[in-house]
Amino acid sequence: MTNLQRILICLLLCCEAAHAELPEWILFPPSSDTALFAIGEGTTLQQANDVALKNILGQLRTHISGGFSQRQSLVNDAFAEYINQSVSSSIESLPISQYNKLKNHQEGDTFFSLVSVDKKQLADTFRSELTSNFYQLQKSLKTTNTAASKLEWWVANRATLLEQFGTNVRYIEILDLLSQPTSKYTQLLNTTEGQLADIQQSVCLYVLPHENENLRLAFRRQIVDMGLSADNAQCEYTLALQDQLQQRELFGQHVASLALDIRLQQRKQSIASEIVNETGRSMQNKGNASIAAYQRLIAKIEADNGSILTNLLTQ
């Protein structure tokens, strides 16, 4: 047997010995129909307790469906995923005031903690959060009656409102997971969903026809992604696209300089504007340079995540 083999065997025996010293409750946490259990690990006992509580909430997070992504009337897939991730983080950071510290163990510089939370007491925490969230949602929704522009109001508040709504979807799922009644909150959720959908249906932004249909469609997609109706030609708010193209030769290349004036209109009167510039180049001819400029401009619009429209609607 070589020296290396002897060293490896000694290390393996040491690891097995250390593993054998761990209490059984660390390796096999208890379970119950009335409580949730979790193990936490940290450099201090308090940190181990905190991690254990976070792990309890993590158990709940992994057992719920994230059903907000199924509510396509309110959001698209990308925004639903953003909300689900945000809500998942909020669940794990939810403070738990009532829990039981059952056991702890120190192994070298590492502390282990076993904690439990009564399911009914945990449900009380989520019920309190739900009641507060629904109150805040209704309070926010009432401000639409005093908003000067419902369109601007929706753009400014949509993300917060839908994140609150998505949080309530998850919390109701958790109450159901904890075998607690949810009918009252489900009714409130359906009512709120109807209110949000009605507002979304009532706010629209229509892109006026333009000779470059791909350019117009790029803005239409941005409008849809913002949760606005985009196909109502009679909409009070419209987006007018006015472009200017200049051609020149530079160092043996054809260069097209494109300036797009984007005007937000209310009842055909301009209320905000923004100019976006782009260039295109071609060694062959002016036409190719022009095509390149429009392609680059469209790519810029598609990549800006709606910031151009947001700027126009919040000026």
Side-chain angles (χ1 to χ4, degrees):
M1 181 181 296
T2 66
N3 288 335
L4 178 61
Q5 288 175 322
R6 291 190 182 94
I7 293 172
L8 290 174
I9 291 174
C10 288
L11 289 173
L12 181 62
L13 291 174
C14 289
C15 290
E16 288 180 348
H19 185 72
E21 292 174 3
L22 291 177
E24 185 176 352
W25 58 264
I26 295 178
L27 304 176
F28 305 101
S31 60
S32 167
D33 292 334
T34 59
L36 296 173
F37 299 83
I39 304 295
E41 179 180 341
T43 57
T44 66
L45 184 56
Q46 184 58 53
Q47 185 183 53
N49 288 334
D50 293 341
V51 171
L53 291 174
K54 185 175 181 180
N55 288 340
I56 283 180
L57 294 171
Q59 291 176 34
L60 297 174
R61 181 182 59 79
T62 57
H63 284 85
I64 54 181
S65 68
F68 187 68
S69 59
Q70 301 168 9
R71 298 175 183 268
Q72 296 298 325
S73 63
L74 292 179
V75 295
N76 56 31
D77 290 335
F79 194 62
E81 181 58 27
Y82 156 76
I83 291 177
N84 281 330
Q85 290 177 359
S86 177
V87 173
S88 294
S89 299
S90 71
I91 290 174
E92 290 193 1
S93 62
L94 193 68
I96 299 178
S97 58
Q98 295 179 311
Y99 61 95
N100 299 312
K101 302 175 186 178
L102 300 179
K103 295 181 180 181
N104 62 76
H105 175 76
Q106 184 176 359
E107 190 74 25
D109 295 331
T110 302
F111 289 85
F112 296 89
S113 177
L114 173 65
V115 303
S116 71
V117 177
D118 182 81
K119 288 184 178 181
K120 289 184 177 180
Q121 290 180 337
L122 184 59
D124 288 340
T125 299
F126 281 100
R127 271 192 287 266
S128 176
E129 290 291 318
L130 273 167
T131 301
S132 176
N133 283 352
F134 275 120
Y135 172 78
Q136 292 299 328
L137 264 171
Q138 290 302 316
K139 184 178 178 181
S140 297
L141 288 172
K142 288 179 181 178
T143 63
T144 57
N145 300 324
T146 58
S149 166
K150 188 176 288 188
L151 174 63
E152 293 179 22
W153 179 92
W154 179 246
V155 170
N157 293 281
R158 172 179 178 258
T160 300
L161 290 170
L162 294 185
E163 188 169 340
Q164 288 177 322
F165 180 82
T167 299
N168 287 355
V169 172
R170 287 292 188 93
Y171 286 2
I172 291 172
E173 288 183 342
I174 288 174
L175 283 181
D176 189 56
L177 186 66
L178 296 173
S179 302
Q180 299 297 308
T182 61
S183 58
K184 178 180 74 172
Y185 297 111
T186 300
Q187 185 177 356
L188 282 171
L189 187 75
N190 292 335
T191 300
T192 305
E193 182 177 17
Q195 292 172 310
L196 290 169
D198 288 343
I199 293 172
Q200 184 164 287
Q201 289 292 329
S202 68
V203 291
C204 60
L205 180 59
Y206 181 72
V207 186
L208 296 174
H210 188 274
E211 61 181 14
N212 190 315
E213 183 64 12
N214 288 332
L215 182 61
R216 178 183 179 278
L217 289 175
F219 279 103
R220 182 194 175 278
R221 283 191 291 271
Q222 294 288 319
I223 292 169
V224 172
D225 287 345
M226 293 179 72
L228 305 174
S229 174
D231 298 319
N232 180 6
Q234 306 304 316
C235 184
E236 176 183 359
Y237 292 91
T238 55
L239 211 61
L241 309 177
Q242 300 176 358
D243 49 345
Q244 290 186 344
L245 188 68
Q246 293 182 343
Q247 297 274 5
R248 69 184 190 279
E249 288 191 20
L250 184 64
F251 303 116
Q253 286 187 322
H254 298 279
V255 180
S257 298
L258 176 60
L260 181 66
D261 186 4
I262 310 159
R263 294 184 175 274
L264 176 65
Q265 301 180 154
Q266 182 179 17
R267 302 187 188 94
K268 300 183 179 180
Q269 298 295 318
S270 179
I271 58 175
S273 66
E274 185 165 338
I275 295 177
V276 181
N277 297 294
E278 193 51 83
T279 59
R281 299 172 183 269
S282 173
M283 298 293 294
Q284 286 78 30
N285 53 59
K286 294 180 179 180
N288 286 349
S290 175
I291 291 172
Y294 278 101
Q295 288 176 338
R296 288 169 61 88
L297 179 64
I298 291 170
K300 178 185 286 188
I301 294 166
E302 291 176 338
D304 87 335
N305 295 319
S307 63
I308 295 174
L309 292 181
T310 300
N311 290 340
L312 287 170
L313 292 166
T314 55
Q315 282 185 14

